């Protein structure tokens, strides 16, 4: 939810921290702050409401010397966005500065106890309790910082990634994690900290991913970071090499990450299918299906858990798995599933889908399913994130870092992995005819080229968007595999343009939403030439008969729908179950252009954050 950065070494810390915050700003952007141990004054904390650019402006004339520091960009949970509630938080003694990503669940109890001992709180955040508790232990038990952190964290319930500076111990940063991501970059006698590797890779590709309950000590001049657990036992960690380059996390000439990521989809899908789809041999191979053949082939049922866009991909996955593998599949919102009392056991396979791999609700759903004995299969994008580590096996989607808050290429990557999974299992189970299997493999391989054809219509879609910026409501319709696409199109529009939009199965329109239709409410309908084409045509007629305005997503050369619709975008022909991979693209572009026309901040929409690591 928030982004945290840290640096200790020989460089000036401030530029490293500010650049790092900009790379992490997708995680939260309502306030930002930095703490430095400067050359002259000791511990200095600068923080302000607003974005990282506002922090830079605020800090312009301040002392930003020093080679050690921590910084934070916030997405508010407890306490409104303000400079007081911004991180870093300073302890009563003025010795400690702390940044935090996560939620401290028992902060009220801890806060009241500290207040009874005279500790005065300045902010209304849950985070401040951490720095005050550590400070209190330091002062009253007389321990060093590391011991105080360890003792404090034993009392804390909740999720956190934290980093702390102590003005009296100016040659170290202490960091710790529980249920919130934290990565350490290991350079030549220097260390970096980040909520993910993006602030680090400019300086080093050597990283350590912290595990839950790890405390890290980053000492100036040391070659290695030290790790202990809450019982003061030493922990060993392998240093990993991160496979990420700067180009992947920069805009590369695009005005927004979202547009870049939409246009990356053909390449992203090729990366996703590389080594998995072999079109010469007409085969799909997933190592997870080879390694866990028994568990997957004998599944009594699939239960797919996810949130947001990943949940929409799951709805497509359900259809793929049921149609191709003949195994019943259910889709659950992870946030509901975690508090339900699901009837599941070891014969069920739970598929958890998440771009970030850090979504708190999805992680909790996995935990519950595990406790009930289900086999857990993860589909994630962020390498080394918490969900792949919490699942028994799974597949990465390998579409590269997704930075735009509105998810785009992760959706098509997730659908591609679900397609490959269904094909691999369907073939192994003998539930798909060989000729159908071969056709699907060939068609899947051809999708990136077909995506390019859709992307070529970007200018046309931008022109369409100009006509519809007036609208306060949109309706999105689709059927079968394209119903989740309608939901996804509506979500994209809501997220970045703040226009109200509803996604519906087209046939449901007559059961209610038809009452809303007039010239003021555009209807986006995916009306491709699939088995329900005639029924979709009737839906379009019904909308037109009521004065509605139709933007139709049609199969290339379909003159009938083109003549009926007010606006249209053409899709190359493909098999029905693969259509979402291309029909989603015009809806992503439509939302993008409408938001741009309306002057909205596409990459940082209000109130949202990229990974939702809190409930
Ligand atoms: O990282 P995840 O896939 O688990 O995230 C799930 C949702 O929070 C996410 O898809 C959200 O709905 C996006 N902002 C959609 O664009």
């Amino acid at each position: 939810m928030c982004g945290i950065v840290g640096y200790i070494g020989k460089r000036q810390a401030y530029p490293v921290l500010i650049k790092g915050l900009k790379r992490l700003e997708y995680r939260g952007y309502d306030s930002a702050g930095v703490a430095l141990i400067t050359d002259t004054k000791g511990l200095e904390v600068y923080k302000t409401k607003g974005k990282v650019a506002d922090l830079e402006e605020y800090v312009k004339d301040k002392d930003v010397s020093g080679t050690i520091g921590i910084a934070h960009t916030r997405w508010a949970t407890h306490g409104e966005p303000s400079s007081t509630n911004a991180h870093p938080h300073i302890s009563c003694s003025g010795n400690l500065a702390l940044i935090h990503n996560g939620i401290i669940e028992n902060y009220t109890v801890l806060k009241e106890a500290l207040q009874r001992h005279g500790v005065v709180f300045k902010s209304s955040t849950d985070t401040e309790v951490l720095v005050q508790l550590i400070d209190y232990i330091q002062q009253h038990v007389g321990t060093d910082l590391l011991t105080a952190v360890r003792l404090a964290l034993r009392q804390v319930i909740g999720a956190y990634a934290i980093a702390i500076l102590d003005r009296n111990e100016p040659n170290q940063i202490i960091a710790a994690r529980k249920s919130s991501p934290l990565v350490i970059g290991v350079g030549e006698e220097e260390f970096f900290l980040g909520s993910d590797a993006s602030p680090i890779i400019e300086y080093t590709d050597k990283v350590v991913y912290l595990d839950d309950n790890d405390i890290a000590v980053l000492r100036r001049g040391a070659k290695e970071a030290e790790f202990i657990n809450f019982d003061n036992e030493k922990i060993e960690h392998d240093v990993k090499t991160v496979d990420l380059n700067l180009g992947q996390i920069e805009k590369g000439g695009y005005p927004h990450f979202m547009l870049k990521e939409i246009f990356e989809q053909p390449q992203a899908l090729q990366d996703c299918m590389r080594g998995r789809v072999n079109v010469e041999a007409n085969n799909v191979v997933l190592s997870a299906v080879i390694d866990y053949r028994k568990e997957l082939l004998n599944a009594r049922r699939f239960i797919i858990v996810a949130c947001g866009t990943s949940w929409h991909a799951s709805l497509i996955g359900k259809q793929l798995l049921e149609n191709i593998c003949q195994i019943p599949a259910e889709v659950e919102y992870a946030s509901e599933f975690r508090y339900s009392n699901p009837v599941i056991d070891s014969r069920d396979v739970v598929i958890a889908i998440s771009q970030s791999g850090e979504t708190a609700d999805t992680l909790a759903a996995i935990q519950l399913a595990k406790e009930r004995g289900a086999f857990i299969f993860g589909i994630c994008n962020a390498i080394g994130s918490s969900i792949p580590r919490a699942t028994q096996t799974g597949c990465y989607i390998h579409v590269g870092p997704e930075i735009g808050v509105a998810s785009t290429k992760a959706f098509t990557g997730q659908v591609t992995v679900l397609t490959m999974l269904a094909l691999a299992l369907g073939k192994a189970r003998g539930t798909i005819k060989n000729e159908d299997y071969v056709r699907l493999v060939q068609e899947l391989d051809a999708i990136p080229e077909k995506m390019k054809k859709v992307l070529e219509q970007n200018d046309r879609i931008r022109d369409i968007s100009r006509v519809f910026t007036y609208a306060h409501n949109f309706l999105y319709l689709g059927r079968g595999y394209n119903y989740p696409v309608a939901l996804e199109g509506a979500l994209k529009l809501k997220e970045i343009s703040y226009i109200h939009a509803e996604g519906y199965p087209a046939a449901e329109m007559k059961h209610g939403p038809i009452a809303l239709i007039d010239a003021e409410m555009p209807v986006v309908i995916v009306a491709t030439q699939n088995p329900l084409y005639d029924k979709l045509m009737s839906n379009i007629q019904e909308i037109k008969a009521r004065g509605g305005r139709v933007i139709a997503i049609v199969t290339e050369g379909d003159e009938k729908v083109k003549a009926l619709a007010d606006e249209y975008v053409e899709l190359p022909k493909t098999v029905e179950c693969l259509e979402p991979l291309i029909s989603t693209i015009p809806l992503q572009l439509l939302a993008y252009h409408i938001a741009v026309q309306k002057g909205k901040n596409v990459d940082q929409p209000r109130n949202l954050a990229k990974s939702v690591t809190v409930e």
Side-chain angles (χ1 to χ4, degrees), residues 58-165:
Y58 174 70
V59 165
K60 224 164 53 194
D61 306 320
K62 311 266 191 308
D63 178 1
V64 289
S65 60
T67 52
I68 174 171
I70 55 178
H72 187 270
T73 176
R74 180 169 187 246
W75 185 88
T77 57
H78 296 62
E80 55 167 16
S82 69
S83 55
T84 311
N85 288 337
H87 303 211
H89 288 282
I90 312 168
S91 64
C92 261
S93 69
N95 290 338
L96 308 183
L98 178 144
I99 52 175
H100 167 223
N101 169 31
I103 286 189
I104 306 305
E105 285 166 22
N106 61 338
Y107 84 98
T108 317
V109 179
L110 294 172
K111 186 172 178 175
E112 284 167 5
L114 287 163
Q115 282 171 326
R116 281 197 294 277
H117 287 88
V119 177
V120 178
F121 281 75
K122 295 179 209 80
S123 76
S124 40
T125 65
D126 55 332
T127 299
E128 194 184 346
V129 79
L130 287 174
V131 74
Q132 303 295 14
L133 179 61
I134 296 166
D135 188 84
Y136 185 86
I137 294 173
Q138 252 195 332
Q139 306 294 320
H140 290 80
V141 184
T143 67
D144 59 7
L145 178 64
L146 179 58
T147 311
V149 169
R150 195 167 57 75
L151 296 179
L153 292 181
R154 290 170 75 140
Q155 299 180 48
V156 168
I157 300 170
Y160 50 80
I162 55 170
I164 311 147
L165 287 187

Side-chain angles (χ1 to χ4, degrees), residues 307-310 354-356 359 405-407 414 491-492 495 612:
C307 304
T309 288
S310 301
S354 171
Q355 185 287 129
S356 63
T359 300
V405 167
S407 188
Q414 290 162 347
L491 178 65
K492 289 290 88 88
E495 280 186 299
V612 186

Side-chain angles (χ1 to χ4, degrees), residues 11-12 41 51 89 108 124 175 204 239-240 262 278 306 314 342 371 373 418 493 548 552 611:
R11 303 169 202 255
Q12 187 188 355
K41 295 191 194 130
K51 297 188 191 290
H89 288 282
T108 317
S124 40
T204 177
V239 176
K240 301 216 161 73
I262 292 172
N278 183 340
S314 307
E371 283 161 16
L418 286 161
L493 189 72
S611 42

Side-chain angles (χ1 to χ4, degrees), residues 450-451 453-454 457 554-556 570-574 582:
K450 295 186 179 181
M451 284 179 145
K453 292 210 155 169
V454 184
Q457 298 173 75
V554 308
T555 306
E556 219 164 44
E570 290 182 282
L571 300 183
K573 198 154 182 48
T574 186
I582 50 175

Side-chain angles (χ1 to χ4, degrees), residues 241-254:
T241 303
V242 70
D243 182 20
L244 191 65
N245 61 56
L246 271 185
Q248 288 176 294
I249 55 169
E250 286 177 347
K251 286 190 200 144
Y254 285 91

